[in-house]
Amino acid sequence: MSVSPRNSLSAPEIVAPDGGLAPSTPSGPLGGATTTASEPASEAASETARTASGTFSAVDESGTGATPRHAADLIVFGGTGDLSMRKLIPALYHCDRDGRLADETRIIAMSRGGLTDADFRGKVDAEARPVPEGEDDEGWQRFLRRLHHVSVDVGGSDRSGWGALSRLLAGYEDRDRVFYLASPPMTFGPFCREAHEAGLVTPRSRVVLEKPLGRDLASAQAINDEVGAIFDERQIFRIDHYLGKETVQNLLVLRFANAFLEPVWNSLWIDHVQITVAETVGTPGRRGYYDHAGALRDMVQNHLLQLLCLVAMEPPSRNDRESIRDEKVKVLQSLRPIVGSEVDRFTVRGQYAAGDDVPSYLDEPASTPPTEISRRVETYAAIRAEVKNWRWAGVPFYLRTGKRMPSRRSEIVVQFKDVPHAIFPGATPNRLVLRLQPSEGIHLLLMAKEPGAGEVALRPVPLSLSFAETFQSRVPDAYERLLMDVLAGNPTLFMRRDEVEAAWRWIDPIIETWEGSAALPEPYPAGTAGPAGARELLARSGRTWHEEDL
């Protein structure tokens, strides 16, 4: 079945699984449903909200992804690649084991590998099995039977692979059809165009785009235009796996389902916010990619800005698909631009040098020798950002991310101000720490008196919530949640076009200044906490980075 290309902001008919029109009652990430669409943040967002306010598949209205879905075909382009084998296949297996995939759902890998179904299943069994042999063997074999492989040369002259995929999908046009592009962004447009030309894009189709979406605003807009010529905005799911993490979900609950935080969630009581994504790994074998990405494009433009939005956003009027995304866009539009000489004042970039038994970035194993671009790319980035609105005026948001750091840690630290009048010596300000990895949880540091007679001695004591310990269950991987939301047609945790482009508008001046500067990134030894300039970024205002293990 062939469909004509569509404008990305058009409003096509929304089809339900039974062939009729789907209800326009959306569900949000925290459950529940609403009957009205959200107020748009802009004219473009208004049209997006209208096209995305309904669903074109059977949706689990609880928003939890806990109930089985109707049958779907999930086609993964790049299905034999690292992301698929390391993340997508294990996540889909766990969804299957938990009963969240319908019996007829198929997973179809696309690659140039020339593999048969049996070859691909053998590769998955050898390289991607998420549980030890002997554990859930029956479930694993059932999952393997869902897997298929089709060889397709996207962008090449041989179109026979599209014919093979068309034959595999023939007769299943009534199913939801999800194209997951686990491939470089340069392939997004050609893939969508060739899938349309092969007649595979149906009204029940969706496409998932992995980050990074472009290298700057212009390239992101070009990709959005190419994909939007084939798929409607409601069918496009731009994924950021950080939004599927349990702690991120609980940030929304913590803020909007508890009354005690809202009165102090503003510049009157909060001194500053720190958002950290630190990695111990370097870039062995990936320098070719990282030379043209760097920490700013690879992590800040998507992951860190998404976390900033969830901390800073206003309470949405409703828990529906568009209200939350509208509020996130408003935060991005409120970010104070960092331009010209301010880039040197409010940003820091670094590149890891050799450490203990660890090579420098330039000496990492790679298929090509380092170039001038390699010398200039940042493996560490820190930024002092400000949200210019009434709630956050004067509160700095410190963002940092780096490779070859001392420990793997992703966290949000909300640092409260000192008490107005201190009567106890040694008191330190309260902190709220939301740990995304390695062990997801929430920690509120309060001042408490140490037991004992004599002088009052204070120390900060955490009130801690560990998800694994409290709920006595496996914490699902972020991709499990997001994959189930894609299959349910729920876009709440995915980025809208105006959201992606607003992030690039803020990042682009920093990139342009860095790339136009004669200065090189500040070196820092591998295994340390980053360049000295990052510490100075906070020290100028008497602050320090949060480094404690809780």
Side-chain angles (χ1 to χ4, degrees), residues 410-488:
S410 296
E411 66 184 15
I412 301 167
V413 179
V414 179
Q415 178 75 60
F416 292 92
K417 293 182 177 180
D418 285 313
V419 294
H421 175 62
I423 62 173
F424 297 107
T428 58
N430 302 128
R431 278 172 297 173
L432 178 65
V433 181
L434 299 103
R435 181 67 55 83
L436 282 69
Q437 60 185 26
S439 53
E440 296 190 73
I442 300 172
H443 311 274
L444 177 61
L445 279 84
L446 303 176
M447 293 309 300
K449 173 188 176 297
E450 292 190 26
E455 293 185 2
V456 174
L458 305 183
R459 73 173 181 182
V461 177
L463 300 180
S464 297
L465 165 64
S466 165
F467 299 136
E469 293 178 6
T470 300
F471 299 107
Q472 296 294 307
S473 61
R474 183 184 67 88
V475 177
D477 183 80
Y479 277 99
E480 295 177 43
R481 170 62 185 259
L482 296 175
L483 284 165
M484 295 312 301
D485 277 359
V486 172
L487 293 174

Side-chain angles (χ1 to χ4, degrees), residues 341-498:
S341 61
E342 291 185 334
V343 173
D344 290 336
R345 290 176 55 204
F346 298 133
T347 72
V348 175
R349 56 179 174 147
Q351 184 181 106
Y352 63 85
D356 293 338
D357 300 321
V358 176
S360 69
Y361 175 75
L362 299 177
D363 293 327
E364 290 278 19
S367 57
T368 58
T371 65
E372 180 61 25
I373 294 176
S374 306
R375 296 176 62 241
R376 300 182 60 81
V377 71
E378 77 282 356
T379 62
Y380 180 101
I383 300 176
R384 183 188 190 275
E386 292 183 29
V387 179
K388 304 296 284 185
N389 60 23
W390 278 41
R391 180 184 291 268
W392 296 110
V395 176
F397 286 73
Y398 294 101
L399 316 177
R400 64 169 171 170
T401 183
K403 301 276 188 188
R404 294 293 189 197
M405 305 298 282
S407 62
R408 174 177 173 264
R409 184 169 74 229
S410 296
E411 66 184 15
I412 301 167
V413 179
V414 179
Q415 178 75 60
F416 292 92
K417 293 182 177 180
D418 285 313
V419 294
H421 175 62
I423 62 173
F424 297 107
T428 58
N430 302 128
R431 278 172 297 173
L432 178 65
V433 181
L434 299 103
R435 181 67 55 83
L436 282 69
Q437 60 185 26
S439 53
E440 296 190 73
I442 300 172
H443 311 274
L444 177 61
L445 279 84
L446 303 176
M447 293 309 300
K449 173 188 176 297
E450 292 190 26
E455 293 185 2
V456 174
L458 305 183
R459 73 173 181 182
V461 177
L463 300 180
S464 297
L465 165 64
S466 165
F467 299 136
E469 293 178 6
T470 300
F471 299 107
Q472 296 294 307
S473 61
R474 183 184 67 88
V475 177
D477 183 80
Y479 277 99
E480 295 177 43
R481 170 62 185 259
L482 296 175
L483 284 165
M484 295 312 301
D485 277 359
V486 172
L487 293 174
N490 184 353
T492 308
L493 298 180
F494 298 81
M495 292 178 288
R496 212 164 57 192
R497 173 173 182 157
D498 55 345

Side-chain angles (χ1 to χ4, degrees), residues 88-102:
L88 302 182
I89 291 294
L92 288 165
Y93 159 75
H94 284 296
C95 291
D96 187 21
R97 189 174 72 171
D98 293 344
R100 291 180 285 171
L101 297 182

Side-chain angles (χ1 to χ4, degrees), residues 161-179:
W162 287 109
L165 181 60
S166 181
R167 289 189 294 273
L168 183 60
L169 296 174
Y172 296 99
E173 290 79 9
D174 60 334
R175 291 185 177 184
D176 282 1
R177 186 174 290 176
V178 176
F179 298 98

